[in-house]
């Protein structure tokens, strides 16, 4: 059942609502805490690109990419909705999709 109140981020494709904790620094931290299958090869330093997510709702709430994320986004030709979970602020109401490995772009 979907929560009716509180600060949540929804992770697709499994439609999992995760409560935003004040300690969470990034969407990646939330996913790891919940045990969701989201790769993060570089450990969240913004250098590997394996934590790429698709922001399906709430993109307008997010601040622009930081310099670290922008470099990877430029290099790999990310669309606006493609963000690095480790560099994405956990803002209430986001709906993000963890892409299947088969949909990952080749490096
Ligand atoms: S975990 Fe490596 S770029 Fe996010």
């Amino acid at each position: 059942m979907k929560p009716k109140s509180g600060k949540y981020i929804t992770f697709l494709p499994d439609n999992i609502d995760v409560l935003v904790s004040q300690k969470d620094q990034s969407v990646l931290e939330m996913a790891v805490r919940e045990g969701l299958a989201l790769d993060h090869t570089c450990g969240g330093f913004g250098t590997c690109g394996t934590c790429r997510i698709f922001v399906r709702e709430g993109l307008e709430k997010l601040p622009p990419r930081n310099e670290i994320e922008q470099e990877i986004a430029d290099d790999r030709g990310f669309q606006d909705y493609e963000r690095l979970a480790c560099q994405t602020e956990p803002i209430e109401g986001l709906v993000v999709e963890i892409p299947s490995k088969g949909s990952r772009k080749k490096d």
Side-chain angles (χ1 to χ4, degrees):
M1 184 197 290
K2 228 171 168 48
K4 297 202 181 335
S5 63
K7 299 179 176 185
Y8 289 85
I9 291 181
T10 301
F11 288 83
L12 303 175
D14 295 327
N15 212 29
I16 297 171
D17 295 313
V18 180
L19 187 63
V20 178
S21 152
Q22 288 191 336
K23 292 181 184 171
D24 291 324
Q25 299 293 309
S26 68
V27 171
L28 176 64
E29 280 188 25
M30 295 180 66
V32 169
R33 177 164 46 81
E34 284 299 306
L36 303 180
L38 179 54
D39 290 345
H40 48 284
T41 304
C42 74
F45 289 101
T47 57
C48 68
T50 58
C51 67
R52 183 177 62 116
I53 51 172
F54 301 150
V55 179
R56 297 304 188 195
E57 288 181 30
L59 188 61
E60 70 286 352
K61 299 178 187 175
L62 289 174
R65 302 179 202 279
N66 63 26
E67 202 173 310
I68 294 168
E69 185 180 21
Q70 191 62 55
E71 192 173 319
I72 286 201
D74 290 344
D75 187 50
R76 301 190 183 185
F78 279 7
Q79 300 293 317
D80 287 348
Y81 62 85
E82 294 179 87
R83 302 294 292 254
L84 296 179
C86 69
Q87 304 298 311
T88 300
E89 244 180 84
I91 292 177
E92 172 185 6
L94 290 180
V95 176
V96 302
E97 179 180 348
I98 299 173
S100 66
K101 293 187 189 235
S103 73
R104 291 237 163 97
K105 291 178 181 173
K106 293 196 166 118
D107 291 332

